[in-house]
Amino acid sequence: MCGILAVLGVADVSLAKRSRIIELSRRLRHRGPDWSGIHCYQDCYLAHQRLAIVDPTSGDQPLYNEDKSIVVTVNGEIYNHEELKAKLKSHQFQTGSDCEVIAHLYEEYGEEFVDMLDGMFAFVLLDTRDKSFIAARDAIGICPLYMGWGLDGSVWFSSEMKALSDDCERFISFPPGHLYSSKTGGLRRWYNPPWFSESIPSTSYDPLHIRQSFEKAVIKRLMTDVPFGVLLSGGLDSSLVASVVSRHLAETKVAEQWGNKLHTFCIGLKGSPDLRAAKEVADYLGTVHHELHFTVQEGIDALEEVIYHIETYDVTTIRASTPMFLMSRKIKSLGVKMVLSGEGSDEIFGGYLYFHKAPNKKEFHEETCRKIKSLHLYDCLRANKATSAWGVEARVPFLDKNFINVAMDIDPEWKMIRRDLGRIEKWVLRNAFDDEEKPYLPKHILYRQKEQFSDGVGYSWIDGLKDHANEHISDSMMMNASFVYPENTPATKEAYYYRTVFEKFFPKNAARLTVPGGPSVACSTAKAVEWDAAWSKNLDPSGRAALGVHDAAYDDPPEKSPASANPVSDSGFRQALGESVLKTVDSATAV
């Protein structure tokens, strides 16, 4: 994963301005520690911090067409670059980089080429022939991108907010699946799949089609010239990724370079559900498994750095990003620069435990659509920035464009959780890989209950975070929260604590508006909270907040007291309950 910064149309073209842009680009060096580059053309600057995954020797950026009239700075991977190059026989390529194809596609097809790209990407392209430029972000928003405006009329683009927040009067999170063109001066959506309208599909469930589509999505992501691994939590999604890689690794080009032994990585508190399950899966698949541990205190000590890197104050994201951030540091120390991960499956298949309460297939399907559309603000943001903080790239096969189209075209009646028919959450995915002759996974792993990553690393992690927040945030601070933070007012002491840290690094109003808000239970959208009246009294993003569903659910909360500033999340409430005794769960999964 790389870092890009583009500044176009600046009023000041002095050497001091160039130095300032280089200085700002350095704020992204954690994303790309391997090389730095900058291209200056009149009042336009394109800078790049490179993490070399494909063609490490010659693929430095920015990249160009043959006569260097078209310049592009890219963060991402284009998995079908060889296929696209075959369509550009009249063009001469200067590097082996998969991203160089973008400059030539623009030269050949103009602005309408973006939908031809199969991959994850955020890029800015400058056409020096007429000094026009475009910027685009991948379909789901796997790669982060921000857009800002300077007081001098300049337009800014950056992989992370920290590189433009000080110099822009206003900035936004660039919407996924969109393209900005300087010729029209506006954004337009280039990604228009059938599911985007949220109309109810009627295609019958074909388990073999699901399996084959996912295997193709995994295999294409093994495009690498550097060592790689798989993040393995022991849950369904990451276990399937590891299983498919193990099954096909020997057939790939990467096996010739790095061998056919897969490395897997898991992190958790000692004795956590994830560690046990991940080891069992790793043993079953025969991977070289790396079990990493952290303590609650080590996680708490890292919180400020985590919030600085992931650029959010969302509670769920911070809870899950912290162990992922710590794990990525260890992974990089072992010489691994790319990992595959299991994000996206729960959104596509309705895998979160609150989907048990979906009243009908229409609401089920609409909720999955809403969840996919907002992934760039949550799980994609976490997976990308928590790993990129240490120069590691995360690839997410469940968010393959073709696989999403296949999975979202299924009649949602098949995805509904039907205990009377033996269908638990994500049954359509589990059943697709339930192969009696050549099993992908042990049955009890294949049918293990969903556990969110922040829960699966150890339940005491979230409890420790709440206790830490209680020590720093007083009841009087909570009573005045709506005055101090009128936008997205923190509803819990934990949320308030994260907000104070975020505001220290990103004090502008534009920064706080890049973070979503609204009530949530077990990672639901605000709309899905309406599915169960009890949830409105237990608004916590942990999977254990799915009362009556999770095997280790929180106790049912009492009626909310008007005098209580923080009735659900603080330790005082837990003591009032008599401190819930949570069952030990042997069946819990993370992403």
Side-chain angles (χ1 to χ4, degrees):
M1 201 54 61
C2 304
I4 65 172
L5 174 65
V7 188
L8 305 120
V10 298
D12 176 9
V13 292
S14 66
L15 285 176
K17 188 66 174 182
R18 184 181 187 275
S19 297
R20 173 61 176 167
I21 291 168
I22 291 173
E23 176 191 344
L24 293 172
S25 178
R26 287 196 193 107
R27 296 183 184 181
L28 304 174
R29 187 163 289 175
H30 53 276
R31 298 183 62 86
D34 296 335
W35 197 252
S36 303
I38 186 168
H39 179 90
C40 310
Y41 179 77
Q42 296 179 7
D43 58 357
C44 299
Y45 302 82
L46 275 67
H48 191 267
Q49 302 289 341
R50 188 184 186 207
L51 179 68
I53 303 289
V54 175
D55 186 26
T57 54
S58 70
D60 295 337
Q61 296 196 39
L63 295 162
Y64 307 89
N65 66 336
E66 293 88 341
D67 64 4
K68 295 195 173 183
S69 60
I70 295 167
V71 192
V72 63
T73 182
V74 190
N75 168 33
E77 305 291 343
I78 310 302
Y79 302 121
N80 64 335
H81 69 108
E82 295 287 359
E83 174 190 327
L84 293 172
K85 284 179 182 177
K87 297 180 180 180
L88 300 165
K89 295 189 184 298
S90 63
H91 291 256
Q92 293 183 338
F93 288 80
Q94 311 301 312
T95 74
S97 169
D98 53 294
C99 293
E100 186 187 343
V101 73
I102 292 173
H104 299 279
L105 286 170
Y106 173 82
E107 192 175 25
E108 190 75 19
Y109 299 101
E111 294 181 356
E112 304 307 316
F113 75 90
V114 181
D115 198 26
M116 299 170 68
L117 302 175
D118 181 8
M120 56 178 185
F121 55 83
F123 69 81
V124 180
L125 181 149
L126 172 65
D127 186 343
T128 63
R129 297 171 300 185
D130 59 5
K131 233 174 85 171
S132 63
F133 61 88
I134 62 172
R137 190 177 183 187
D138 66 62
I140 305 301
I142 301 166
C143 291
L145 187 63
Y146 293 84
M147 181 179 185
W149 295 268
L151 287 173
D152 62 351
S154 55
V155 182
W156 296 58
F157 300 94
S158 176
S159 294
E160 294 184 4
M161 192 161 55
K162 57 182 64 67
L164 54 69
S165 58
D166 289 346
D167 290 54
C168 289
E169 186 67 16
R170 180 171 177 260
F171 46 90
I172 61 170
S173 174
F174 194 99
H178 279 69
L179 177 142
Y180 175 87
S181 170
S182 65
K183 292 178 180 177
T184 61
L187 287 155
R188 68 175 183 271
R189 185 153 55 88
W190 63 263
Y191 179 56
N192 296 286
W195 63 267
F196 212 86
S197 66
E198 301 185 11
S199 57
I200 311 304
S202 57
T203 303
S204 185
Y205 169 53
D206 181 347
L208 189 58
H209 192 27
I210 288 283
R211 182 197 297 183
Q212 291 172 343
S213 299
F214 183 66
E215 289 190 317
K216 287 178 183 176
V218 172
I219 292 167
K220 74 173 69 166
R221 281 162 178 79
L222 300 181
M223 178 185 80
T224 177
D225 294 324
V226 298
F228 81 101
V230 172
L231 304 185
L232 177 62
S233 70
L236 173 68
D237 307 326
S238 63
S239 297
L240 283 178
V241 173
S243 179
V244 172
V245 174
S246 295
R247 191 166 290 211
H248 296 282
L249 183 58
E251 311 159 10
T252 65
K253 178 185 170 187
V254 69
E256 298 173 13
Q257 292 176 286
W258 305 108
N260 56 10
K261 201 73 172 172
L262 176 64
H263 287 253
T264 52
F265 304 90
C266 183
I267 192 168
L269 306 178
K270 286 188 176 179
S272 68
D274 279 2
L275 294 181
R276 291 194 299 271
K279 186 178 187 309
E280 184 177 2
V281 174
D283 289 346
Y284 180 81
L285 298 176
T287 72
V288 179
H289 188 57
H290 306 267
E291 181 175 296
L292 310 172
H293 303 127
F294 77 106
T295 66
V296 172
Q297 189 59 54
E298 286 171 334
I300 289 170
D301 290 343
L303 279 175
E304 289 209 5
E305 200 174 359
V306 168
I307 292 170
Y308 172 76
H309 277 289
I310 64 173
E311 303 179 323
T312 187
Y313 50 84
D314 176 69
V315 171
T316 320
T317 308
I318 294 167
R319 287 176 176 179
S321 292
T322 305
M324 198 170 197
F325 173 86
L326 297 172
M327 175 168 57
S328 297
R329 186 175 190 179
K330 292 274 186 116
I331 288 172
K332 186 60 181 285
S333 73
L334 294 170
V336 172
K337 295 172 73 172
M338 186 273 281
V339 292
L340 272 68
S341 191
E343 279 75 17
S345 172
D346 291 314
E347 287 74 15
I348 295 167
F349 294 104
Y352 292 109
L353 296 184
Y354 72 88
F355 275 96
H356 281 248
K357 300 293 183 78
N360 53 60
K361 72 176 187 179
K362 179 177 182 293
E363 292 207 38
F364 188 106
H365 180 71
E366 289 173 352
E367 175 71 358
T368 60
C369 292
R370 289 191 294 266
K371 290 291 291 180
I372 296 171
K373 290 175 183 178
S374 64
L375 265 169
H376 67 291
L377 300 170
Y378 298 103
D379 284 21
C380 286
L381 179 148
R382 166 181 56 79
N384 183 283
K385 292 183 180 178
T387 54
S388 293
W390 298 106
V392 176
E393 175 175 288
R395 298 181 181 176
V396 282
F398 280 107
L399 296 181
D400 180 81
K401 271 201 306 183
N402 180 66
F403 180 73
I404 292 175
N405 287 341
V406 169
M408 292 302 289
D409 195 42
I410 301 170
D411 186 332
E413 184 65 41
W414 287 96
K415 296 181 183 179
M416 291 281 287
I417 291 128
R418 294 283 305 275
R419 291 182 176 180
D420 57 321
L421 298 177
R423 294 183 192 168
I424 63 171
E425 65 276 355
K426 292 188 288 194
W427 177 84
V428 294
L429 180 63
R430 301 174 196 272
N431 183 65
F433 285 90
D434 195 348
D435 189 327
E436 296 288 348
E437 293 183 7
K438 288 184 66 179
Y440 284 79
L441 294 169
K443 284 271 191 185
H444 64 282
I445 293 290
L446 195 61
Y447 289 94
R448 184 181 175 220
Q449 187 185 59
K450 165 67 189 171
E451 184 84 277
Q452 285 151 217
F453 184 52
S454 53
D455 285 331
V457 296
Y459 295 145
S460 59
W461 166 234
I462 290 178
D463 296 337
L465 289 172
K466 291 179 179 180
D467 291 342
H468 179 70
N470 288 335
E471 294 171 6
H472 288 79
I473 307 301
S474 66
D475 289 346
S476 61
M477 293 167 75
M478 287 302 301
M479 287 179 66
N480 293 309
S482 62
F483 299 105
V484 178
Y485 300 119
E487 301 95 1
N488 284 349
T489 303
T492 68
K493 291 183 177 181
E494 185 185 4
Y496 194 111
Y497 177 74
Y498 298 154
R499 184 66 171 272
T500 61
V501 176
F502 177 88
E503 298 270 343
K504 180 170 70 173
F505 294 124
F506 307 105
K508 288 188 176 179
N509 189 54
R512 63 183 69 102
L513 293 178
T514 65
V515 181
S520 175
V521 62
C523 288
S524 75
T525 66
K527 178 68 177 173
V529 173
E530 300 171 7
W531 292 350
D532 190 317
W535 288 349
S536 63
K537 304 170 188 174
N538 198 50
L539 296 174
D540 189 288
S542 167
R544 289 183 290 160
L547 304 177
V549 177
H550 195 290
D551 290 345
Y554 295 134
D555 286 352
D556 291 338
E559 289 300 315
K560 186 173 181 179
S561 166
S564 176
N566 189 26
V568 174
S569 296
D570 67 12
S571 59
F573 170 63
R574 292 176 66 87
Q575 290 166 4
L577 280 177
E579 197 64 40
S580 310
V581 179
L582 302 176
K583 293 191 300 181
T584 301
V585 183
D586 290 324
S587 62
T589 85
V591 171

